[in-house]
Structure formats: structure tokens, C-alpha cells
Amino acid sequence: MNINLTLIVQMVVFATLIFAVMKWLWPPILNAMAERERKIALGLAAAEQGEQELAAARGTAEGIVREARERANQIIDHAQHRANELVEQARGSASSEGARLIAAAQQQIQLDTTRARETLRREVAGIAVGAAAKLLGREIDAKKHAELLDKLAAEV
């Protein structure tokens, strides 16, 4: 009977221990577990919201980058267009300046040609007068016959 009594006492002590644990220890443990579960759920919800905000921010950032690239391309296109206009203006200016320089050079050539012809006419007239003087055997005065020499130079 000793064994039965010991078994009964052990069962009563175990039941009392279970009752005490269930009454005083189990509720704080369950509360702590519920609080921990609530914190984990809040953390997961915050992580999900953070991921959604990150995805939205990425979309916004991609939109801004796309817009910036488009704007940069527009600026580059505008700059290239303006550069082409400036090149065409420079070509036009260079062409008109070249034409002006050519006209000035042609005018200078014409003037130089006229001067050279006049000089050549005078030299030919001088040679003709010298040759005539030798043929006639006497000296011809160039100052006295300047009008005659000018007519002669004009004819030559």
C-alpha cells in the first residue's frame, strides 16, 4: 500500500503543480507569446509596407530618370540643331566673304593690269622716242613733246 499511497501523493502533487502553473505561470507566458506574435505581425506588415513604398519609390525614380534622359536628349538635339545652324551661317558668311575677297582681288588685278599697261605704254613710247631720236640723229626733248608721247602711249 505504500506504493499506491506514494503514487497517489505524487499524482496530487503533480496535479497541484499543473494547476498552479496553469493559474499563475501559464497566462503570463501566453501573454508574452501573444505580444511577441503581435510584434512579429506588425514587423511583417511594416516590411511589406516598406517593400511597397520601395517599389513605388523605384517606379518614381525610374520615371524621373527617364524624364531626365528625355530632357537631356532634347537639349542635345537642340544643341546639335543650333550648331548646324551656326555652321550654315558661318558657311554663308565665309562664302560671302570669299566672294567679296575674290571681287576685291579681281578689282586689284584689273587695277594692277591697267597700271602695268600704262607703264608698258610709257616705256614703249620712251623706247620709240629713243629709237626715233637715233634714227633722226638728234635728241628729242621729252618735255616738249609730252603731249605727243601721251597720244602715242594711248595708241599703243
Side-chain angles (χ1 to χ4, degrees), residues 103-123 153 156:
Q106 286 175 343
Q107 188 176 14
Q108 185 63 37
I109 290 169
Q110 201 171 26
L111 184 63
D112 289 345
T113 303
T114 304
R115 284 182 189 156
R117 283 184 184 161
E118 287 297 319
T119 304
L120 186 59
R121 284 181 186 161
R122 286 193 182 115
E123 287 178 9
V156 175

Side-chain angles (χ1 to χ4, degrees), residues 3 7 32 36 50 55 64 70 81 85 101 105 117 120 125 134 142:
I3 294 180
L7 185 59
R36 180 72 177 145
I64 290 171
E70 289 172 2
H81 182 66
E85 287 177 357
L101 289 174
R117 283 184 184 161
L120 186 59
K134 283 185 181 182

Side-chain angles (χ1 to χ4, degrees), residues 123-154:
E123 287 178 9
V124 167
I127 292 171
V129 168
K134 283 185 181 182
L135 283 175
L136 294 176
R138 62 185 175 119
E139 186 76 25
I140 295 178
D141 187 9
K143 289 181 185 175
K144 291 180 183 177
H145 303 290
E147 189 177 310
L148 179 65
L149 291 175
D150 285 339
K151 284 182 183 177
L152 183 63

Side-chain angles (χ1 to χ4, degrees), residues 15-71:
T16 307
L17 181 66
I18 298 255
F19 177 73
V21 166
M22 293 296 278
K23 179 94 172 147
W24 291 292
L25 291 177
W26 198 252
I29 291 174
L30 286 179
N31 286 339
M33 287 175 53
E35 181 65 25
R36 180 72 177 145
E37 184 178 336
R38 187 183 65 78
K39 285 182 182 179
I40 290 172
L42 287 175
L44 289 174
E48 176 123 359
Q49 183 180 1
E51 285 179 9
Q52 290 173 354
E53 290 174 1
L54 178 63
R58 281 186 181 153
T60 303
E62 288 173 1
I64 290 171
V65 167
R66 188 178 323 107
E67 186 177 315
R69 284 185 181 145
E70 289 172 2
R71 180 71 178 133

